[in-house]
Amino acid sequence: MQISQSGFAARRQQLMDKMSPESVAIIPSAGEVPRNRDVEYPFRQDSDFYYLTGFNEPDALLLLMPGRSEGQVVIFCRDRDPEMEIWNGYRAGPEGVCKQYGADQAYPIAELDEQMAELLQGKTRLYYSMGTNETLDGQVRHWLNSIRKKARLGAVAPGEMVMLDHLLHEMRLFKSAEEVELMRAAGRISAEAHVRAMQACKPGLIEYQLEAEISHHFAMNGCRLPAYSSIVGGGDNACVLHYTENRDALKSGDLVLIDAGCELDYYAGDITRTFPVSGKFSPEQQAIYELVLKSQLACIEAIRPGAPWISIHDLSVKILTQGLIDLGLLKGDLEGLIESGAYKVFYMHRIGHWLGMDVHDVGDYKINGDWRPLEPGMVMTVEPGIYISPQNEHVDEKWRGIGIRIEDDVLVTESGYEILSAGVPKSVAEIEQLMAC
């Protein structure tokens, strides 16, 4: 399952339609990153570059030049090199980039400095995300200065630079039908992996062994890597929001929190489930769990076009705070505790985030200073949580060390919402029944 080349071409055209006449956009690929001696981290393409090209090689550069008679889509890439291809795999080369990826013109990346001054000359506006790639920032300045030095010969450099991020990231925020299908599949695979982890869990396993169950399922279903480092936190470790060491033994009587999602053709799943290591919730664990679940279900039900993003978060705060009062973990009146932020000792993050090619995906949460309303095609996570630190001496000892988060991926539809990660159970009864099998 992949985005079609016609889909990538449509994205490029959509972006060029938003650009001014006689302008040019520059979008770089990712590069390889050293891990240790003679070894690189697994290559992962830059999301913006892949979104517009589908091209999965490092050391490339995309130019979009609307209205250019010689061709609007220009790509610089690594040249074919038979010797290097023996060692490191095949390359598309300039000819392959035109045939396979829809470029109108392509050049070897080695010719970048030689060609760029000519390609930029005479353009009035440059769209470029300054500040994200220091090396390329310097090259862009060099190209512009080289044009300016020829001003007496009639050369004209772009006189205006505009950050590309807003135009491109607003496009990425709204998912096409092809993207939704990929994200449904990513949600399904991720949910299956969580089910597998629940079924495999037992006291004495090491956290990374549950992580291995999840990673295995991802890989066997076409997802070589997770969308982010998997979190498997047993006991007190569940109270660390971004715990990724995954090295401790799972103990009977503890909960384990798993936050993990696959990446399928560059689209992320992101699911969190919390469940008892031994398959049965204690009364205190169940009380906190059912409060978090109540909040999550209500927040999902509130998702619909026109609902302000912040209203979903505010609802989670209200429900969780009232529940903490009811359990005796907070003392005071609801509005006062919310206004003072007293709940943040237990719930210190937002209700969720945009989801897409990046697990914390791009797209503004506010427009002109106001929280934006939800619209069809947006995908967000809904992930309330309560974390009671083992060091919190202001609560009874029976509550300490309980960390619970429940997270699903939710698509905003014309009529409301669709849960993309519904394939993994989350009620107490469903979890205990699954783990008893």
Side-chain angles (χ1 to χ4, degrees):
M1 184 179 297
Q2 291 183 315
I3 301 296
S4 64
Q5 280 303 312
S6 61
F8 290 116
R11 292 170 176 177
R12 293 193 294 269
Q13 188 59 57
Q14 183 182 352
L15 180 56
M16 287 190 285
D17 289 343
K18 297 175 183 293
M19 295 165 59
S20 61
E22 296 301 319
S23 64
V24 56
I26 298 177
I27 304 98
S29 76
E32 293 178 307
V33 179
R35 179 184 184 275
N36 59 315
R37 184 178 176 86
D38 298 328
V39 178
E40 287 80 35
Y41 284 102
F43 177 71
R44 203 277 188 185
Q45 187 58 279
D46 176 82
S47 294
D48 286 343
F49 184 88
Y50 192 84
Y51 180 81
L52 294 169
T53 66
F55 184 48
N56 196 33
E57 290 186 24
D59 304 326
L61 191 78
L62 168 68
L63 300 185
L64 296 179
M65 310 175 74
R68 180 172 176 264
S69 59
E70 302 92 326
Q72 299 184 113
V73 180
V74 179
I75 293 180
F76 289 84
C77 64
R78 300 179 303 179
D79 210 352
R80 295 296 304 274
D81 185 330
E83 182 175 350
M84 291 301 295
E85 290 179 37
I86 288 172
W87 289 94
N88 297 320
Y90 298 112
R91 300 176 176 181
E95 183 178 351
V97 162
C98 291
K99 287 183 177 179
Q100 299 171 45
Y101 298 96
D104 298 314
Q105 288 184 327
Y107 300 94
I109 194 70
E111 297 180 11
L112 186 62
D113 285 335
E114 176 185 342
Q115 299 288 344
M116 280 300 290
E118 181 178 344
L119 289 166
L120 293 176
Q121 202 281 129
K123 300 302 177 185
T124 59
R125 176 178 288 181
L126 172 62
Y127 293 87
Y128 173 65
S129 298
M130 180 69 73
T132 59
N133 185 323
E134 187 175 345
T135 299
L136 186 56
D137 289 351
Q139 288 179 283
V140 170
R141 286 192 293 267
H142 170 74
W143 298 329
L144 296 178
N145 287 335
S146 68
I147 299 172
R148 293 180 185 123
K149 288 177 182 178
K150 298 177 182 178
R152 292 184 180 179
L153 301 176
V156 178
E160 184 180 2
M161 183 179 292
V162 177
M163 290 292 287
L164 179 64
D165 298 35
H166 179 72
L167 290 180
L168 183 53
H169 293 173
E170 190 72 5
M171 286 173 54
R172 282 179 53 189
L173 178 59
F174 295 91
K175 307 306 187 281
S176 68
E178 280 188 311
E179 290 176 291
V180 169
E181 280 302 307
L182 271 171
M183 295 192 72
R184 283 195 187 104
R188 173 183 55 79
I189 294 167
S190 300
E192 291 168 351
H194 278 262
V195 169
R196 177 172 174 154
M198 287 182 184
Q199 292 173 322
C201 187
K202 61 182 179 180
L205 286 182
I206 309 300
E207 292 164 339
Y208 60 67
Q209 291 178 299
L210 281 191
E211 179 184 8
E213 295 284 346
I214 289 167
S215 299
H216 178 269
H217 189 81
F218 290 170
M220 292 299 289
N221 285 273
C223 309
R224 284 191 59 203
L225 296 173
Y228 52 97
S229 297
S230 298
I231 296 168
V232 183
D236 294 350
N237 295 334
C239 296
V240 180
L241 299 186
H242 293 157
Y243 172 81
T244 56
E245 286 83 355
N246 300 351
R247 64 190 177 195
D248 291 344
L250 299 170
K251 300 174 184 177
S252 179
D254 281 351
L255 296 173
V256 57
L257 183 155
I258 298 181
D259 187 337
C262 71
E263 181 173 277
L264 180 63
D265 194 35
Y266 283 82
Y267 285 83
D270 185 5
I271 300 175
T272 305
R273 290 293 186 268
T274 311
F275 53 92
V277 171
S278 55
K280 188 76 174 175
F281 288 88
S282 73
E284 291 77 21
Q285 292 167 351
Q286 182 169 339
I288 300 295
Y289 187 92
E290 290 186 334
L291 171 57
V292 175
L293 181 58
K294 177 183 178 181
S295 172
Q296 201 228 18
L297 293 174
C299 288
I300 291 174
E301 192 63 30
I303 291 175
R304 61 180 60 86
W309 186 91
I310 194 62
S311 69
I312 311 301
H313 175 71
D314 289 344
L315 178 60
S316 72
V317 170
K318 183 176 182 180
I319 293 173
L320 292 178
T321 303
Q322 183 60 60
L324 290 166
I325 294 171
D326 295 341
L327 293 172
L329 290 163
L330 283 176
K331 292 179 172 57
D333 70 281
L334 177 63
E335 295 304 322
L337 291 169
I338 291 175
E339 186 175 351
S340 69
Y343 65 89
K344 292 182 180 179
V345 173
F346 305 102
Y347 178 41
M348 60 289 294
H349 57 77
R350 293 283 186 181
I351 187 61
H353 51 79
W354 304 134
L355 185 69
M357 297 186 75
D358 299 319
V359 69
H360 289 173
D361 208 28
V362 295
D364 294 331
Y365 291 87
K366 287 185 174 182
I367 298 177
N368 297 322
D370 295 323
W371 292 100
R372 76 185 304 161
L374 299 177
E375 299 179 59
M378 295 174 169
V379 179
M380 64 179 288
T381 64
V382 181
E383 49 180 307
I386 291 177
Y387 315 89
I388 307 174
S389 169
Q391 284 81 45
N392 189 339
E393 297 183 357
H394 298 288
V395 302
D396 193 292
E397 188 174 356
K398 67 181 181 180
W399 301 108
R400 296 176 198 168
I402 296 178
I404 294 171
R405 181 166 65 252
I406 306 171
E407 176 182 22
D408 281 298
D409 308 336
V410 182
L411 168 71
V412 184
T413 66
E414 294 285 349
S415 58
Y417 64 87
E418 175 187 345
I419 302 174
L420 303 179
S421 51
V424 53
K426 58 185 176 183
S427 75
V428 168
E430 289 172 329
I431 290 172
E432 291 184 343
Q433 181 179 5
L434 175 66
M435 296 186 71
C437 295

